[in-house]
Amino acid sequence: SFEAIANNNSDVMIRAKTAISRMELFVFFQDWSSAAQLLRKLEEDPRAAAVGSWVYVRYTFLESLVSFKAAQAASSWATKRRWKKRGIRLMKQLHKWISKGGNPNIVHSLHLLTAELAAMKGNHSKAKESFKKAALVATTNGFVQDKGLAHALASSYYAGQGDQYWADYHRTNSQDAFREWGATALLV
């Protein structure tokens, strides 16, 4: 398997890119338990092989998002607290990169994390506002895949709130974005 080849390879960059690619797929398919399991079993931080690259920043976002989703699904308060703390620490790192005039291409990612954190805290107005901003900024900056992700996560959020109108609206927008991106496997 691809994973076995990557794990048995001495090239740390290949192992890092494999882990990041797997994480990206788990996130896009909203397979949060597999994503959290991958985070738990990684022996080395993939960012170590990608310092200074977009991969480093993207993985930080993905890890934060998965941490928030794992916290939402956790059954014990201690586990929930540990995952939430991890997600917040990574979210602060992203915020720091933006506020220092660094990477404006991750503003939509920060909005998406803000939405997930607000949802976890029960701050529904903040969650709704942040999902909307995430999709808007991703659209404005040309990140079609993240526009799709923002709408997919908003759809799940609204469905969980029992608001079928907005769940359907965001699901349709998510499917449109993923279709535009060429990711037809995500059109379920």
Side-chain angles (χ1 to χ4, degrees), residues 11-73:
D11 187 335
V12 70
M13 183 58 89
I14 289 174
R15 288 195 312 273
K17 286 190 175 185
T18 301
I20 291 166
S21 296
R22 291 181 66 217
M23 183 66 67
E24 191 90 53
L25 287 171
F26 290 145
V27 166
F28 278 110
F29 283 100
Q30 296 189 43
D31 184 353
W32 304 114
S33 66
S34 295
Q37 182 180 3
L38 178 61
L39 283 178
R40 283 191 296 269
K41 78 175 194 173
L42 284 175
E43 294 176 13
E44 57 192 359
D45 186 343
R47 284 179 294 245
V51 173
S53 74
W54 67 269
V55 173
Y56 187 97
V57 175
R58 182 67 178 183
Y59 189 79
T60 302
F61 160 67
L62 294 173
E63 184 179 351
S64 182
L65 180 60
V66 170
S67 296
F68 287 151
K69 288 298 193 179
Q72 290 171 9

Side-chain angles (χ1 to χ4, degrees), residues 86-156:
R86 181 178 185 168
I88 289 171
R89 177 180 50 81
L90 294 160
M91 186 177 167
K92 285 180 180 177
Q93 181 64 54
L94 291 168
H95 188 271
K96 183 176 162 185
W97 290 332
I98 293 169
S99 65
K100 287 189 171 187
N103 195 338
N105 292 327
I106 58 173
V107 172
H108 65 282
S109 300
L110 190 58
H111 286 305
L112 196 49
L113 294 173
T114 300
E116 288 295 336
L117 183 59
M120 191 180 348
K121 290 180 173 181
N123 186 343
H124 301 296
S125 60
K126 180 75 169 177
K128 291 174 183 179
E129 172 190 339
S130 296
F131 278 124
K132 186 176 179 181
K133 285 181 179 179
L136 179 64
V137 174
T139 301
T140 300
N141 292 337
F143 291 96
V144 179
Q145 74 280 16
D146 289 339
K147 172 186 176 183
L149 180 60
H151 281 296
L153 293 175
S155 178
S156 295

